[in-house]
Amino acid sequence: MWVLRFWDRFEEQAGGLFLLAAVLLVFGQIVLRAGFGIGLSGIYELAAFCSTFSVLLTASLGVKRNTHIRVDLLSNMLPVKIAFAIEVAVQALMLAVSLGLVYAGYLLIEESILLGERSLGTIEVPMWIPQLVMPLAGLLLALRSVERIVHLVRGGIAAIEPAGSELPTT
């Protein structure tokens, strides 16, 4: 389905582009300071925003691919049916936390707009702009959690696979 392929590509490309932007901003600042003795204010702040965007926008790929960091010692020792139930419960908890992130992000943005908050750096970015990534990342995580739950329910016990086995086929 083209929507799912677009969604996968968006997460991968957006995360990569924000990471590239952060690296280029820091590299450019280093070259300017070391080579020319000048620097641009606000560059490190923008780089920090970009790297944060990269991490938050790609976190949901870990849920989709089942490659996020987790302690699976217990589930590896349990019978498969119990491990399956635990996996579904973990994904349901992930969904709840993700929806909490959406709601908390919305409240944070609303407060930032209401108070007119700006970043403390030289460029004074309205804080609601970089904070938009929080509810967006929460939404992406929630959708990936639902996708994972559906995958588990459809696949049954056979859907429990070692981490990294769900790499994309697109």
Side-chain angles (χ1 to χ4, degrees):
M1 177 179 233
W2 71 271
V3 173
L4 294 177
R5 284 193 308 270
F6 174 79
W7 179 15
D8 289 346
R9 285 274 195 225
F10 168 77
E11 287 175 325
E12 291 170 356
Q13 300 301 321
L17 288 174
F18 278 117
L19 185 60
L20 176 65
V23 168
L24 291 176
L25 286 169
V26 171
F27 178 74
Q29 184 77 330
I30 290 170
V31 168
L32 285 173
R33 286 185 187 242
F36 303 102
I38 60 171
L40 301 174
S41 27
I43 294 296
Y44 292 124
E45 183 179 20
L46 290 176
F49 288 152
C50 287
S51 60
T52 302
F53 294 172
S54 176
V55 168
L56 289 174
L57 290 175
T58 56
S60 60
L61 287 173
V63 175
K64 174 188 169 56
R65 297 175 182 170
N66 198 25
T67 56
H68 45 74
I69 297 173
R70 59 194 280 161
V71 178
D72 57 2
L73 178 66
L74 181 62
S75 62
N76 288 341
M77 293 174 32
L78 292 172
V80 178
K81 289 183 180 183
I82 295 173
F84 175 78
I86 289 173
E87 180 65 22
V88 172
V90 165
Q91 291 305 317
L93 181 61
M94 178 66 132
L95 177 60
V97 169
S98 301
L99 293 174
L101 181 61
V102 171
Y103 182 66
Y106 167 77
L107 292 177
L108 182 65
I109 290 169
E110 185 178 54
E111 181 180 286
S112 292
I113 291 171
L114 181 67
L115 298 176
E117 292 179 338
R118 295 185 165 280
S119 65
L120 298 176
T122 310
I123 55 175
E124 293 186 15
V125 175
M127 284 308 294
W128 65 268
I129 295 172
Q131 291 168 347
L132 281 173
V133 76
M134 288 181 61
L136 177 60
L139 180 63
L140 291 173
L141 280 167
L143 292 172
R144 289 296 187 188
S145 294
V146 169
E147 182 182 42
R148 181 81 178 135
I149 291 168
V150 168
H151 172 74
L152 288 168
V153 170
R154 282 187 181 164
I157 293 172
I160 298 181
E161 301 152 344
S165 62
E166 290 185 37
L167 294 177
T169 57
T170 56

